[in-house]
C-alpha cells in the first residue's frame, strides 16, 4: 500500500516528511505529510479520520 509519505510533493517534486501537529479533536495531535521545500501539506486517511467532525450526508 502506498501512503502520502511515499509520494513526492505535487507542487515541487521534493520528498515529503512526516510532521506531527496539534489538533483540537485528537488528544495526541495528528500526522501530516509535509514538503520541507515548499511547505505543501498532504493529509493521510488516518489524519482525516481523526479530524472528521461528523458522518457524511
Amino acid at each position: 500500500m502506498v501512503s502520502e509519505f511515499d509520494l513526492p510533493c505535487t507542487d515541487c517534486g521534493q520528498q515529503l516528511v512526516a510532521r506531527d501537529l496539534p489538533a483540537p479533536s485528537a488528544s495526541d495531535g495528528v500526522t501530516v505529510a509535509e514538503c520541507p521545500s515548499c511547505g505543501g501539506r498532504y493529509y493521510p486517511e488516518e489524519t482525516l479520520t481523526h479530524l472528521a467532525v461528523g458522518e457524511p450526508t
Side-chain angles (χ1 to χ4, degrees), residues 1 3-5 13 17-26 34 38-40 42 48-49 54-57:
M1 175 184 241
S3 78
E4 287 77 1
F5 305 105
V17 296
R19 180 164 184 217
D20 294 323
L21 301 174
S25 62
E34 185 174 73
C38 73
Y42 304 89
L48 294 175
T49 301
E55 294 293 320
T57 56

Side-chain angles (χ1 to χ4, degrees), residues 10 13-16 18-21 24-25 28-31 33 36-38 41 43 50 55 57:
T10 58
Q14 294 296 310
Q15 180 67 38
L16 301 175
R19 180 164 184 217
D20 294 323
L21 301 174
S25 62
D28 295 333
V30 294
T31 301
S37 181
C38 73
R41 286 189 179 161
Y43 300 87
H50 282 296
E55 294 293 320
T57 56

